[in-house]
Amino acid sequence: MKKYLLIAVLMICSFATQAQTASSSAPIDPLLKGKDLMEQLVAALDASTFLNSWTSEQRAQWKSELSQASDAVALSKSASYLSEYIKPGKYKEQFSLAQLKALAAGTKNYGDVANVLATLESGLATEAFSNGWISQEASWLSELSLVK
């Protein structure tokens, strides 16, 4: 009787472990993850980081285009478009907007999108971000590795 009980417990544990493994290894949709991370980046930017032309209408248009993006190329275009609305003084001195745009234009896959987003984020000066970004940045960068 004890053997049967032990076998039953082991089988239940085995099934539970398999169920947890299956749910935790669900594939990440790089398109959705890229959209989410781009929205997080925009939300983390201080309002003073944007040019006056970044009106609520422009932001709504950008969000609409981002939500309609269906592939890696469209995601990179959204990042490139966003970069045009950031004040030049909010980028680090060594950052090149032209290089970011060239990088975005050469996008072929989601790994390229992750590179574009990482380049944009790392090119922004510290004062471009709201105070809460410091605590979010490591997590954001970690999640960016899922866009591939």
Side-chain angles (χ1 to χ4, degrees):
M1 181 73 170
K2 287 183 182 181
K3 279 186 179 181
Y4 294 117
L5 182 60
L6 181 60
I7 291 173
V9 168
L10 289 174
M11 288 177 62
I12 290 171
C13 288
S14 174
F15 288 129
T17 302
Q18 288 175 357
Q20 287 176 353
T21 304
S23 65
S24 66
S25 65
I28 300 292
D29 183 341
L31 177 65
L32 295 177
K33 182 53 81 176
K35 288 178 182 183
D36 181 49
L37 292 173
M38 205 174 313
E39 287 180 343
Q40 285 179 33
L41 182 63
V42 169
L45 295 175
D46 189 75
S48 68
T49 297
F50 295 101
L51 297 169
N52 291 339
S53 55
W54 180 254
T55 62
S56 58
E57 292 83 22
Q58 285 301 123
R59 185 175 181 147
Q61 180 182 351
W62 176 81
K63 284 187 83 155
S64 174
E65 290 174 7
L66 179 64
S67 70
Q68 294 173 15
S70 60
D71 59 19
V73 173
L75 276 182
S76 280
K77 283 183 183 177
S78 288
S80 179
Y81 183 68
L82 171 67
S83 70
E84 295 173 11
Y85 286 97
I86 296 173
K87 292 177 181 175
K90 297 296 182 170
Y91 288 110
K92 293 177 181 173
E93 196 173 304
Q94 68 276 16
F95 179 78
S96 168
L97 189 55
Q99 287 179 340
L100 175 73
K101 290 184 162 296
L103 189 62
T107 295
K108 294 181 178 81
N109 56 48
Y110 290 105
D112 294 339
V113 172
N115 195 19
V116 168
L117 290 175
T119 300
L120 177 58
E121 189 272 339
S122 69
L124 291 165
T126 305
E127 61 269 10
F129 294 98
S130 62
N131 292 335
W133 181 247
I134 293 171
S135 64
Q136 297 172 334
E137 185 179 21
S139 173
W140 188 87
L141 289 170
S142 175
E143 287 187 39
L144 191 59
S145 69
L146 300 174
V147 181
K148 47 184 165 174

